Amino acid sequence: MSLPKTLAEDVARNLVMVARLIDEDPEQAYAYARIALRLASRVAAVREAAGFAAYATQKYSEALAEFRAAKRMTGSVELWPVMADCERGLGRPERAMAMAGEPEVQKLDKAGQVEMRLVAAGARRDMGQIDAAIVTLQSSELASNAVHPWTPRLRYAYADALLAAGREDEAREWFGKALEADKDGATDASDRLAELDGVEFVDALGEDEDEHDAAPASADAADADKSDGKDEDGTSES
């Protein structure tokens, strides 16, 4: 639907702030989303933005309601994976698994299908089915050497599932593959690899501060050493 120009501009400004803040300050992004929602609740893009803002602040019931509204307005299945993940957030992994088997999944693009696979694997893990989660992630997308935007997260999820199953050597290999594909630092694969290899990072700044803090004590000790060479009245021993 179209909005009057002034109202449309107000809504757009709030949506821009949602997009700008959702990663670094999700609570503030949520506040802007609520304003946009009050102004234009019948606009699908507003309902979607409100859904993502609620999702970022772990308000899963609210997020799911907004995503459902956006889906009704547009007829698109694009939000299906995140809707399923909201079910997980609400403690209903079995519903997320049911959604993974619905016809909507076949209508998703490749990125959406991979996202749905990640959600389904997460739901399996929620239910304590770690081996099933590993099988869920095994796919042609995982086996491919081609790198796509979703590749690091898919490899990382597989590595993490392997580690949870006690398959440490395989997990190390796949964390390495995730790191290789992760040019933007979307995962903490490097930290996980270091942890597996027993590497402990030392805060150099913290070390400098410790040395600085220790300096007065050393000076006091030096003064004490000097006083050891004097009698109680302060004169040097002969």
Side-chain angles (χ1 to χ4, degrees), residues 190-204 207:
S190 60
D191 293 340
R192 299 297 297 278
L193 272 174
E195 183 180 334
L196 283 171
D197 292 335
V199 176
E200 184 176 347
F201 294 102
V202 177
D203 188 345
E207 278 190 344

Side-chain angles (χ1 to χ4, degrees), residues 17-133:
M17 293 306 296
V18 173
R20 184 178 299 172
L21 294 170
I22 196 164
D23 291 328
E24 58 190 55
D25 192 348
E27 289 290 347
Q28 191 63 40
Y30 175 78
Y32 280 107
R34 297 304 300 177
I35 295 172
L37 195 58
R38 286 197 298 270
L39 294 172
S41 62
R42 295 185 181 183
V43 176
V46 171
R47 302 303 289 265
E48 182 175 331
F52 277 111
Y55 179 81
T57 53
Q58 300 183 5
K59 297 176 176 67
Y60 297 117
S61 181
E62 185 178 328
L64 186 56
E66 297 300 341
F67 290 142
R68 284 172 173 166
K71 181 178 179 296
R72 284 195 302 270
M73 292 175 178
T74 64
S76 171
V77 298
E78 182 181 0
L79 297 170
W80 196 253
V82 71
M83 290 168 63
D85 206 40
C86 286
E87 296 286 7
R88 286 185 60 211
L90 290 167
R92 302 191 296 236
E94 68 286 348
R95 292 195 186 183
M97 284 304 307
M99 291 179 69
E102 292 293 331
E104 283 83 353
V105 176
Q106 303 306 316
K107 300 176 185 177
L108 294 168
D109 62 13
K110 180 63 69 176
Q113 290 180 4
V114 170
E115 194 65 36
M116 193 69 238
R117 189 177 293 276
L118 288 167
V119 173
R124 289 290 190 189
R125 292 189 64 169
D126 293 343
M127 294 186 286
Q129 301 172 3
I130 186 61
D131 289 334

Side-chain angles (χ1 to χ4, degrees), residues 152-224:
R153 292 177 57 239
L154 180 60
R155 293 179 180 179
Y156 183 96
Y158 188 59
D160 194 49
L162 289 169
L163 188 60
R167 295 160 62 175
E168 187 172 307
D169 289 343
E170 293 172 87
R172 181 182 287 104
E173 176 187 353
W174 280 96
F175 277 128
K177 290 182 177 182
L179 179 60
E180 184 179 276
D182 192 2
K183 305 304 182 185
D184 298 324
T187 72
D188 64 346
S190 60
D191 293 340
R192 299 297 297 278
L193 272 174
E195 183 180 334
L196 283 171
D197 292 335
V199 176
E200 184 176 347
F201 294 102
V202 177
D203 188 345
L205 180 59
E207 278 190 344
D208 291 343
E209 289 175 349
D210 290 344
E211 289 176 3
H212 180 72
D213 291 343
S218 299
D220 291 342
D223 290 342

